[in-house]
């Protein structure tokens, strides 16, 4: 493994990690989960594909990272790339981490209170273990900094934008840029304008033209946009005051409801996992069917509306856990887009899952249709090397 880059995505109680070689093909990866609890553990996949599970009762981020680095002992990383959720308007690209950058990420925690503080835990833990190892912040929001003001401004008092940075930012940037560039390299047809649909427990849709994001579904936070696993997506903002007046809920309770108790979970009454919902739908569960229909309709509605941002619209790319693995969801989304001259190769669509990439449009289709498995770790590794000149 040559010049390996360690990629970290730290959550409040988890660390997703990957060690990638120069060509991003050879990799070691894993997940530390349930940190802080007696059920804390690491699930690790070595370079040869072998898997191990290690119990780490009550481990914190630093303890878990120390163990992770010991598992990588034979492949000393030359740098660490961190996925950072929110870079605000300041960070338009990945940057090398220093004290000033760390302070800014901490300041931006007000925009991403569930994500940025957790991301910083990983940075600080690496500093303690390997103080001389260069670290790079790759922001979920950076790719969307090319969105024009007409698309990112809310119709709110100007002071909220100028003093408090209230605007639309967008997320999943590493995924959207990776799959659009990958599709560019694969297609033999014209590529100017893509709409990328990253569909999973968290979902977002982005309009990309000539490699730049021109609009996206998520906003100030990852709550805005399409229906997701446990997030409601777009709602009437007046709902919050209504719930406060009628049910006496405070804003923390409402925030918890909208982010953790809504979406597919609330609609189906079963699960936030689309696989479970599809099975229940096929078994005749009406709530599961409604959840599926609403999810697909909302994604289609965003694809249609975001096409307005593109000078030319040449194709749709599906990615993420649902987008990559559910032929049914892809077909139902496209059924809601009858005005775009789409012709589906249904047989090819059925074959695209479990990491298989490819196109599933017929020759006469006005739009290209692609499934591209995302690789955010490869994108973060690539940007880390670019920042450090490696």
């Amino acid at each position: 493994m040559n010049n390996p880059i360690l990629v970290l995505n730290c959550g409040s109680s988890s660390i997703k990690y990957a060690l990638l070689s120069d060509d991003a093909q050879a990799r070691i990866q894993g997940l530390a989960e349930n940190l802080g609890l007696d059920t804390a553990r690491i699930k690790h996949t070595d370079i040869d594909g072998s898997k191990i599970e290690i119990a780490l009762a009550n481990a914190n981020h630093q303890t878990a990272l120390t163990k992770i680095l010991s598992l990588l002992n034979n492949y000393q990383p030359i740098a660490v790339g961190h996925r950072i959720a929110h870079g605000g308007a300041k960070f338009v690209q990945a940057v090398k981490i220093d004290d000033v950058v760390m302070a800014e990420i901490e300041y931006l925690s007000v925009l991403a209170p569930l994500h940025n503080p957790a991301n910083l835990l990983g940075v600080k833990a690496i500093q303690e273990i390997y103080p001389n190892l260069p670290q790079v912040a790759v922001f979920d929001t950076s790719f969307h900094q090319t969105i024009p003001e007409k698309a990112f401004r809310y119709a709110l008092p100007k002071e909220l934008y100028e003093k408090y940075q209230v605007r639309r930012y967008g997320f999943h940037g590493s995924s959207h840029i990776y799959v659009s560039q990958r599709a560019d390299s694969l297609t033999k047809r014209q590529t100017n304008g893509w709409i990328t649909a990253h569909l999973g427990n968290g979902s977002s849709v982005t309009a990309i033209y000539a490699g730049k994001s021109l609009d996206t579904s998520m906003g100030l936070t990852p709550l805005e946009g399409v229906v997701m696993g446990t997030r409601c997506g777009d709602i009437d903002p007046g709902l919050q005051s209504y719930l406060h007046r009628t049910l006496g809920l405070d804003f923390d309770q409402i925030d918890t409801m909208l982010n953790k108790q809504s979406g597919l979970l609330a609609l189906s009454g079963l699960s936030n996992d689309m696989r479970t919902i599809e099975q229940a739908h096929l078994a005749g569960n009406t709530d599961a069917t409604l959840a599926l229909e609403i999810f697909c309709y909302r994604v289609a509605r965003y694809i249609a509306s975001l096409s307005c941002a593109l000078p030319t619209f040449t194709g749709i790319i599906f990615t993420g856990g649902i987008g990559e693995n559910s032929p049914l969801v892809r077909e139902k989304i496209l059924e809601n887009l009858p005005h775009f001259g789409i012709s589906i190769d249904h047989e090819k669509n059925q074959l695209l899952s479990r990491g298989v990439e490819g196109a599933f449009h017929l020759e006469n289709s006005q739009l290209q249709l692609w499934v591209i498995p995302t690789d955010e770790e490869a994108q973060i590794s690539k940007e880390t090397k670019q920042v450090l000149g490696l």
Side-chain angles (χ1 to χ4, degrees), residues 39-105:
T39 55
R41 60 184 177 177
I42 293 175
K43 296 178 178 179
H44 180 83
T45 303
D46 216 328
I47 195 167
D48 60 0
S50 60
K51 300 178 185 294
I52 58 172
E53 187 171 308
I54 302 167
L56 284 177
N58 302 308
N60 60 18
H61 283 71
Q62 187 169 330
T63 302
L65 268 174
T66 300
K67 184 61 180 178
I68 289 167
L69 290 169
S70 75
L71 294 170
L72 305 176
N73 198 40
N74 293 330
Y75 309 98
Q76 178 66 44
I78 61 172
V80 181
H82 293 268
R83 181 182 184 181
I84 307 293
H86 218 306
K90 182 179 181 65
F91 295 109
V92 299
Q93 59 188 16
V95 295
K96 186 176 181 181
I97 296 173
D98 56 21
D99 289 344
V100 174
V101 170
M102 287 182 67
E104 189 67 23
I105 293 171

Side-chain angles (χ1 to χ4, degrees), residues 64-372:
L65 268 174
T66 300
K67 184 61 180 178
I68 289 167
L69 290 169
S70 75
L71 294 170
L72 305 176
N73 198 40
N74 293 330
Y75 309 98
Q76 178 66 44
I78 61 172
V80 181
H82 293 268
R83 181 182 184 181
I84 307 293
H86 218 306
K90 182 179 181 65
F91 295 109
V92 299
Q93 59 188 16
V95 295
K96 186 176 181 181
I97 296 173
D98 56 21
D99 289 344
V100 174
V101 170
M102 287 182 67
E104 189 67 23
I105 293 171
E106 190 164 10
Y107 169 75
L108 290 167
S109 292
V110 68
L111 295 175
L114 300 178
H115 299 88
N116 277 28
N119 301 154
L120 278 175
L121 289 175
V123 176
K124 293 173 181 177
I126 291 291
Q127 282 184 334
E128 289 291 326
I129 301 166
Y130 286 122
N132 297 319
L133 197 63
Q135 301 189 74
V136 171
V138 181
F139 300 93
D140 256 13
T141 51
S142 291
F143 178 57
H144 301 296
Q145 289 302 301
T146 51
I147 292 175
E149 192 169 7
K150 67 180 182 181
F152 74 65
R153 282 284 296 275
Y154 290 118
L156 294 170
K158 192 175 183 180
E159 181 185 33
L160 292 177
Y161 168 59
E162 294 182 335
K163 290 185 65 174
Y164 302 103
Q165 303 179 60
V166 176
R167 50 159 287 183
R168 301 180 66 251
Y169 289 99
F171 297 88
H172 294 139
S174 295
S175 178
H176 289 296
I177 189 172
Y178 175 83
V179 299
S180 62
Q181 290 178 346
R182 180 66 181 156
D184 281 341
S185 71
L186 291 171
T187 183
K188 296 178 181 178
R189 293 171 59 175
Q190 182 184 20
T191 60
N192 287 323
W194 295 112
I195 288 184
T196 53
H198 177 107
L199 308 178
N201 193 49
S203 297
S204 63
V205 184
T206 294
I208 300 171
Y209 185 78
K212 294 182 178 180
S213 174
L214 295 185
D215 203 353
T216 192
S217 59
M218 285 181 168
L220 176 73
T221 75
L223 184 61
E224 185 178 352
V226 302
V227 170
M228 302 174 227
T230 62
R231 298 179 192 139
C232 60
D234 292 345
I235 55 165
D236 181 344
L239 172 66
Q240 299 191 50
S241 57
Y242 174 80
L243 292 174
H244 176 65
R245 289 195 311 270
T246 59
L247 300 182
L249 300 181
D250 63 34
F251 285 106
D252 285 339
Q253 291 172 310
I254 295 169
D255 187 67
T256 297
M257 177 191 293
L258 301 184
N259 278 285
K260 298 180 179 181
Q261 300 168 353
S262 299
L264 292 173
L265 175 64
L267 288 168
S268 70
L270 296 170
S271 175
N272 62 318
D273 191 319
M274 182 59 82
R275 291 168 296 187
T276 301
I277 292 169
E278 282 192 29
Q279 290 171 359
H281 157 69
L282 294 173
N285 184 302
T286 56
D287 288 335
T289 297
L290 180 62
L292 178 64
E293 295 289 347
I294 289 176
F295 178 85
C296 295
Y297 174 71
R298 298 287 176 84
V299 172
R301 192 171 74 174
Y302 256 104
I303 290 172
S305 65
L306 288 175
S307 70
C308 297
L310 297 173
T312 58
F313 183 12
T314 54
I316 302 169
I317 304 167
F318 293 93
T319 193
I322 299 172
E324 295 168 23
N325 295 302
S326 178
L328 176 63
V329 166
R330 294 193 296 263
E331 293 221 7
K332 283 189 170 294
I333 289 170
L334 296 172
E335 284 172 4
N336 285 293
L337 297 168
H339 315 299
F340 288 85
I342 295 170
S343 296
I344 303 172
D345 186 323
H346 298 283
E347 184 176 344
K348 284 185 178 178
N349 183 41
Q350 291 298 320
L351 297 174
L352 294 172
S353 64
R354 300 178 184 270
V356 178
E357 68 180 8
F360 63 102
H361 53 268
L362 295 171
E363 280 298 316
N364 66 339
S365 181
Q366 292 183 28
L367 293 181
Q368 299 179 53
L369 304 172
W370 286 87
V371 174
I372 306 288

